[in-house]
């Protein structure tokens, strides 16, 4: 297939000289153990009027509300929370269920080379596997805390970059804040491969990251859906992992510079090898919560 030949070529160019391999990532078709899934299924569901961050792993939160209402809750969380949370939205039920755990608080540090490094993460509960199997339409949502961007920018000001201007470094952080991280893309690609190959070739799974400024939807295109739904499992696993690794190791800052530091052009440049990404600011959404 031409796509696979192109992927092989790109992965060779992007990963050359990199000693890391995709083995560091979880095998996408290795299921959680029966004990892990069973333990997750036994956890009670607690209803909540608003979506919040839950760090208590003895229960899952659930809310009956529209997608628009849930996104508003996540926007508020993005404005004030100090860690991420993950929810799945089930359109046919208009139900939100919290599937995040091991949420980490914001961690920032400066490397010996003077580069600012930081992370804030949340893992997906084994319960996600059940939703993948049972639903032909679902959306995964997480948010990016504004506090993470603010702390990163503050640290940049304390330790000005050596290879670029402070203004460019800050602008790059601001643009990337509204986008899924490289690891977010890897997770989306590999979970989508599992979904379309094992469960619902004709279904639809989409991923979204919410920031204080807007929503970025990211997913795979129809051609890649077809590729994942067909063929041998091991071939699909290898294909998805390699594709995901390419997106992980892309030099985003170089893409950003090449596209004139323009957010719209920058996002378009990241849409390759079957990845589709679209950002909409809240100011561009109509009263129904949909894009204009």
């Amino acid at each position: 297939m031409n796509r696979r030949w192109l992927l092989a070529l790109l992965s060779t160019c992007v990963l050359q000289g990199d000693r890391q391999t995709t083995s560091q990532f979880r095998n996408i078709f290795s299921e959680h153990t029966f004990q892990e899934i069973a333990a997750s299924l036994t956890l009670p569901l607690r209803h909540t009027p608003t979506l919040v961050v839950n760090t208590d792993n003895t229960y899952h939160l659930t809310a009956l509300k529209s997608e628009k209402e849930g996104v508003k809750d996540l926007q508020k969380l993005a404005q004030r929370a100090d860690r991420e949370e993950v929810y799945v939205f089930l359109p046919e039920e208009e139900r939100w269920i919290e599937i995040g755990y091991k949420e980490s608080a914001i961690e920032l540090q400066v490397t010996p080379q003077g580069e600012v490094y930081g992370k804030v993460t949340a893992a997906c509960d084994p319960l996600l596997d059940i939703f993948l199997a049972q639903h032909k339409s679902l959306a995964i949502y997480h948010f990016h805390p504004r506090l993470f961007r603010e702390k990163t920018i503050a640290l940049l000001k304390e330790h000005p970059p050596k290879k670029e201007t402070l203004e460019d470094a800050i602008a790059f952080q601001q643009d990337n804040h509204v986008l899924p991280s490289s690891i977010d893309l890897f997770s989306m690609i590999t979970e989508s491969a599992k979904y379309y190959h094992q469960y619902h070739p004709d279904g639809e799974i989409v991923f979204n990251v919410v920031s204080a400024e807007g929503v970025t939807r990211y997913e795979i295109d129809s051609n890649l859906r077809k590729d994942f739904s067909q063929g041998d499992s091991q071939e699909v696993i290898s294909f998805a992992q390699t594709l995901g690794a390419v997106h992980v190791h892309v030099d985003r800052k170089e893409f950003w510079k090449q596209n004139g530091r323009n957010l719209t052009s920058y996002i378009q440049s990241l849409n390759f090898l079957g990845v589709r990404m679209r950002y909409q600011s809240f100011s561009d959404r109509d009263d129904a919560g949909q894009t204009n």
Side-chain angles (χ1 to χ4, degrees):
M1 183 181 67
N2 290 338
R3 185 184 294 277
R4 291 195 175 109
W5 285 110
L6 177 59
L7 176 59
L9 176 61
L10 280 175
S11 62
T12 299
C13 296
V14 172
L15 302 178
Q16 62 181 349
D18 193 328
R19 297 299 181 182
Q20 293 181 322
T21 68
T22 58
S23 62
Q24 65 185 298
F25 301 108
R26 181 172 64 86
N27 183 321
I28 62 175
F29 290 164
S30 61
E31 299 293 331
H32 291 100
T33 66
F34 174 79
Q35 289 81 5
E36 288 175 328
I37 296 176
S40 184
L41 285 173
T42 60
L43 297 181
L45 289 176
R46 291 191 182 181
H47 288 272
T48 176
T50 58
L51 306 188
V52 297
V53 175
N54 173 32
T55 59
D56 186 334
N57 295 316
T58 63
Y59 61 88
H60 296 292
L61 293 175
T62 183
L64 290 171
K65 55 174 53 188
S66 69
E67 190 167 12
K68 173 192 172 184
E69 292 170 331
V71 168
K72 285 183 177 180
D73 288 348
L74 294 178
Q75 180 191 15
K76 293 176 182 177
L77 285 175
Q79 292 172 341
R80 64 174 185 267
D82 69 345
R83 63 196 67 204
E84 295 182 358
E85 183 60 278
V86 187
Y87 278 86
V88 60
F89 176 69
L90 307 176
E92 69 275 16
E93 300 177 19
E94 287 213 318
R95 178 189 292 272
W96 293 79
I97 301 176
E98 170 234 340
I99 57 168
Y101 77 125
K102 295 184 179 179
E103 298 90 351
S104 71
I106 296 169
E107 300 175 18
L108 295 173
Q109 65 182 45
V110 181
T111 69
Q113 293 74 34
E115 297 177 349
V116 173
Y117 169 78
K119 67 177 181 178
V120 54
T121 59
C124 285
D125 190 274
L127 192 61
L128 176 59
D129 285 19
I130 302 300
F131 295 126
L132 293 179
Q134 293 181 347
H135 295 273
K136 293 189 67 175
S137 177
L138 69 162
I140 311 298
Y141 277 88
H142 77 284
F143 65 87
H144 285 175
R146 181 167 61 185
L147 185 60
F148 176 75
R149 180 185 60 188
E150 291 176 349
K151 286 192 172 185
T152 301
I153 291 174
L155 196 56
L156 276 170
K157 291 178 178 179
E158 292 179 17
H159 303 272
K162 299 176 181 178
K163 298 181 179 179
E164 60 185 331
T165 66
L166 177 60
E167 290 75 15
D168 277 355
I170 291 175
F172 180 68
Q173 289 292 335
Q174 290 174 330
D175 281 353
N176 275 275
H177 179 72
V178 305
L179 301 181
S181 70
S182 298
I183 299 302
D184 289 339
L185 287 185
F186 183 92
S187 178
M188 179 275 290
I189 292 167
T190 53
E191 290 295 345
S192 296
K194 173 190 284 188
Y195 179 78
Y196 291 112
H197 184 80
Q198 285 196 320
Y199 302 126
H200 304 292
D202 58 343
E204 181 181 55
I205 182 172
V206 298
F207 293 73
N208 302 269
V209 58
V210 179
S211 62
E213 294 77 19
V215 179
T216 302
R217 170 173 169 151
Y218 56 110
E219 60 190 320
I220 60 173
D221 65 20
S222 57
N223 290 329
L224 196 51
R225 291 183 187 188
K226 182 177 179 181
D227 293 339
F228 283 156
S229 69
Q230 301 174 346
D232 175 80
S233 292
Q234 289 302 317
E235 180 185 46
V236 174
I237 290 171
S238 178
F239 180 33
Q241 286 183 326
T242 305
L243 190 154
V246 170
H247 283 276
V248 165
H249 292 288
V250 156
D251 186 345
R252 286 194 172 194
K253 186 163 292 187
E254 192 59 35
F255 273 61
W256 182 72
K257 292 177 181 177
Q258 290 175 0
N259 284 275
R261 298 161 174 77
N262 176 273
L263 178 60
T264 300
S265 299
Y266 172 48
I267 293 175
Q268 290 176 347
S269 73
L270 295 177
N271 282 265
F272 64 92
L273 289 177
V275 166
R276 295 174 55 195
M277 194 183 328
R278 184 175 68 171
Y279 168 73
Q280 285 287 326
S281 68
F282 286 115
S283 61
D284 290 336
R285 298 167 72 90
D286 63 25
D287 292 338
Q290 304 298 320
T291 57
N292 291 321

